[in-house]
């Protein structure tokens, strides 16, 4: 005799229901092949985002590739009357820490290095967990997805700081600040990870758990 299936493993799709991606209203589709539109907000309904895993993988891989030059290339180039030098993200963190501005160095380290890397690792973990049908921890993975989606917009801190400094510090020929090539790659990483979080369908987390329960039965 098989064990009772936990309620949390049963998806809305198994009950013939569909959730609106805009207002989150749970309703019944008009037709299995054409779910129609949300009765509350009028948004287009779909059981699952088309090719969600393939699109998210492509965006995550592209972001991971751009993450390397974003940290290796200069983020900002400073030119003075006597000399000129360029700083990478980590170079700027080390300089801030050595000059005594360790709170600012910590903020830049977290926002510019750890957050983008953490988002990439979290998205890869979610993708692998869905593809491999990882059992359990669905609530934790759903929370992780919502966290990735929430903090995505705050990853642009470094780009904002560089843009602000470049706009202010223009005292040619005595001193000038120019953005480095890493700014473009860093912005691409942030944008790609934000789009990847949007293309990933969190409902697949529950689908994988439900499929595993059905196999056990």
């Amino acid at each position: 005799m098989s064990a009772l299936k936990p309620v949390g493993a049963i998806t809305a799709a198994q009950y013939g229901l569909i959730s609106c991606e805009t207002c989150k209203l749970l309703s019944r589709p008009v037709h299995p092949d054409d779910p129609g539109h949300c009765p509350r907000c009028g948004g287009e309904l779909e059981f699952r985002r088309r090719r969600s895993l393939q699109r998210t993988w492509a965006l995550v891989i592209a972001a991971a590739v751009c993450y390397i030059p974003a940290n290796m290339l200069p983020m900002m180039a400073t030119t003075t009357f006597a000399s000129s030098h360029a700083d990478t993200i980590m170079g700027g963190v080390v300089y801030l820490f050595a000059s005594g501005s360790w709170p600012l160095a910590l903020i830049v380290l977290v926002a510019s290095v750890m957050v983008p890397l953490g988002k990439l690792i979290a998205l890869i973990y979610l993708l692998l967990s869905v593809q491999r049908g990882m059992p359990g921890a669905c609530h934790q993975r759903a929370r992780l997805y919502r966290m990735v989606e929430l903090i995505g917009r705050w990853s642009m801190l470094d780009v904002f700081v560089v843009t602000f400094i470049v706009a202010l510090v223009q005292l040619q020929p005595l001193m000038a600040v120019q953005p480095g090539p890493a700014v473009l790659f860093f912005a691409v990483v942030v944008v790609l990870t934000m789009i990847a979080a949007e293309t990933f369908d969190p409902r697949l987390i529950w689908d994988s758990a439900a499929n595993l329960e059905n196999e056990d039965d």
Side-chain angles (χ1 to χ4, degrees), residues 33-49:
D33 296 329
D34 185 13
H37 294 78
C38 176
R40 180 161 66 185
C41 69
E44 186 178 0
L45 298 175
E46 55 181 355
F47 283 102
R48 297 295 181 268
R49 297 172 189 171

Side-chain angles (χ1 to χ4, degrees), residues 82-165:
S83 63
S84 62
H85 66 277
D87 293 313
T88 61
I89 295 178
M90 287 305 301
V93 171
V94 172
Y95 174 78
L96 289 172
F97 183 80
S99 61
S101 303
W102 64 266
L104 184 58
L106 182 61
I107 293 174
V108 174
L109 177 65
V110 172
S112 302
V113 179
M114 298 180 63
V115 169
L117 182 60
K119 288 170 58 180
L120 288 173
I121 294 175
L123 288 170
I124 292 173
Y125 166 72
L126 292 173
L127 289 167
L128 291 176
S129 67
V130 169
Q131 288 186 327
R132 297 184 178 182
M134 183 181 298
C138 293
H139 290 281
Q140 289 79 1
R141 282 182 281 161
R143 293 191 189 100
L144 177 62
Y145 168 75
R146 288 194 292 269
M147 185 182 300
V148 170
E149 194 178 27
L150 177 65
I151 65 176
R153 68 197 69 179
W154 300 105
S155 302
M156 277 286 192
L157 176 62
D158 224 40
V159 178
F160 292 153
V161 171
V162 172
T163 305
F164 184 71
I165 293 175

